[in-house]
Amino acid sequence: MDETKEDVPTQSDNEEKDQVVMGESSRTKGWRAIDYMIANEYTNSYVQEWLDMPFIPTIRYDPLWRSFLNQKALKKEISESMALYKRVSIVIDQLRAEAVDSHVSLQDIVLFDVCSGKGNATAVLSFMFPNLSIYMVDKNKKMNISHVTNLNNVQIEYRDIFQVGKFVDWTNKVTQGKIGIFLGSHLCGDLSEIVIDVFNKCGNVRALILAPCCLSKRKRQIADTAVRLKIDNYMYWTRAELHPPIHSTISD
């Protein structure tokens, strides 16, 4: 009678397996979000384009960038920041094309990252446009923004945009003899409307790139109208309520 011999793992087999597991654990120990991103391929073209940039090896091991590169939502933040970079590029090209009487260079343009938060967009734009003056503007002084402190073309300003008059006066002073661009990303409903108001009052700010975050819950009438019209309330709000008041001076 034939007996089937059962393969029983030996001590050496188990030790080898343990070494593999421990090796993998050791390899990834201390990894940050950026390290996992580099180790993987992404179908998101914006993320992959950013990872392929020549400045990545430099900032990857810079202590000032440690917090920025270890955000839980780093992929999302980078994807959105790269999308903003593409839009800023289009706007700059438009400004140059419409300045038929004079040559417009990046040195002639000032970009304001309004209510910038930790400066995710500022960080990306700084590397993409090294000759562009960027003002990172927010009122929160408690955020860790060490990653932007050594960027030569970035200035950090702590200002409250709800103080409309003071914000407009400061913006007009900074943009004297220049062309300004406002960038507002992830702005809540009320904040988006304030930014539009400030933009309309700043004579030298020629373009506004606005990506609202959400519709204020206080604007119940807008939501009800969107339901009645059977369209998305965010779409209705941005197209019917936010877009008309914007006094843009360049072609859409």
Side-chain angles (χ1 to χ4, degrees):
M1 184 176 186
D2 293 334
E3 294 183 2
T4 303
K5 185 177 181 181
E6 183 179 356
D7 290 331
V8 179
T10 64
Q11 182 177 357
S12 60
D13 291 333
N14 288 331
E15 288 176 350
E16 182 178 351
K17 183 178 180 181
D18 289 342
Q19 288 175 358
V20 172
V21 173
M22 289 176 64
E24 179 68 16
S25 176
S26 176
R27 185 176 73 88
T28 59
K29 185 178 181 180
W31 274 26
R32 299 158 298 158
I34 180 63
D35 301 313
Y36 285 103
M37 287 175 63
I38 291 175
N40 292 279
E41 294 184 4
Y42 290 95
T43 55
N44 186 313
S45 59
Y46 286 162
V47 172
Q48 194 58 54
E49 182 179 354
W50 184 80
L51 289 173
D52 291 338
M53 291 295 172
F55 57 79
I56 295 300
T58 301
I59 69 173
R60 184 180 180 184
Y61 300 107
D62 188 333
L64 294 176
W65 285 81
R66 182 170 182 81
S67 177
F68 177 88
L69 296 176
N70 199 33
Q71 301 180 70
K72 290 183 179 179
L74 183 61
K75 287 185 290 185
K76 171 180 174 292
E77 297 293 350
I78 291 303
S79 179
E80 292 176 350
S81 296
M82 288 296 290
L84 292 171
Y85 153 66
K86 301 292 185 181
R87 179 55 57 182
V88 170
S89 298
I90 292 172
V91 169
I92 289 176
D93 288 343
Q94 284 183 287
L95 290 171
R96 285 173 162 173
E98 295 186 11
V100 293
D101 297 329
S102 61
H103 174 71
V104 174
S105 67
L106 284 178
Q107 288 84 352
D108 300 315
I109 299 174
V110 181
L111 185 140
F112 300 85
D113 188 357
V114 184
C115 304
S116 57
K118 292 185 177 181
N120 295 313
T122 291
V124 170
L125 292 169
S126 173
F127 284 107
M128 299 303 190
F129 299 107
N131 295 320
L132 177 67
S133 294
I134 303 174
Y135 282 85
M136 178 176 157
V137 190
D138 203 285
K139 71 175 184 179
N140 187 350
K141 298 181 179 182
K142 297 181 179 180
M143 293 180 294
N144 182 356
I145 55 172
S146 59
H147 53 284
V148 298
T149 55
N150 283 348
L151 298 178
N152 295 329
N153 60 333
V154 173
Q155 296 190 54
I156 302 167
E157 288 283 338
Y158 293 106
R159 295 182 179 273
D160 185 359
I161 197 169
F162 281 92
Q163 297 179 0
V164 175
K166 291 182 178 180
F167 201 97
V168 169
D169 291 342
W170 169 73
T171 303
N172 286 335
K173 182 178 180 180
V174 171
T175 56
Q176 189 171 4
K178 303 282 186 177
I179 298 173
I181 299 174
F182 270 7
L183 172 64
S185 178
H186 284 299
L187 304 187
C188 69
D190 293 338
L191 194 51
S192 295
E193 293 173 1
I194 291 293
V195 170
I196 291 174
D197 183 36
V198 172
F199 168 74
N200 288 335
K201 293 176 179 176
C202 294
N204 297 324
V205 180
R206 298 277 306 280
L208 167 62
I209 302 171
L210 182 64
C213 172
C214 56
L215 175 64
S216 172
K217 293 181 179 180
R218 293 194 298 270
K219 299 183 182 299
R220 189 65 251 173
Q221 182 179 355
I222 293 177
D224 292 341
T225 302
V227 170
R228 188 173 69 253
L229 296 175
K230 297 181 180 181
I231 60 176
D232 179 76
N233 60 7
Y234 181 89
M235 184 67 69
Y236 173 77
W237 172 54
T238 53
R239 296 292 179 85
E241 299 289 332
L242 287 185
H243 191 268
I246 300 176
H247 303 157
S248 178
T249 57
I250 66 173
S251 302
D252 190 355

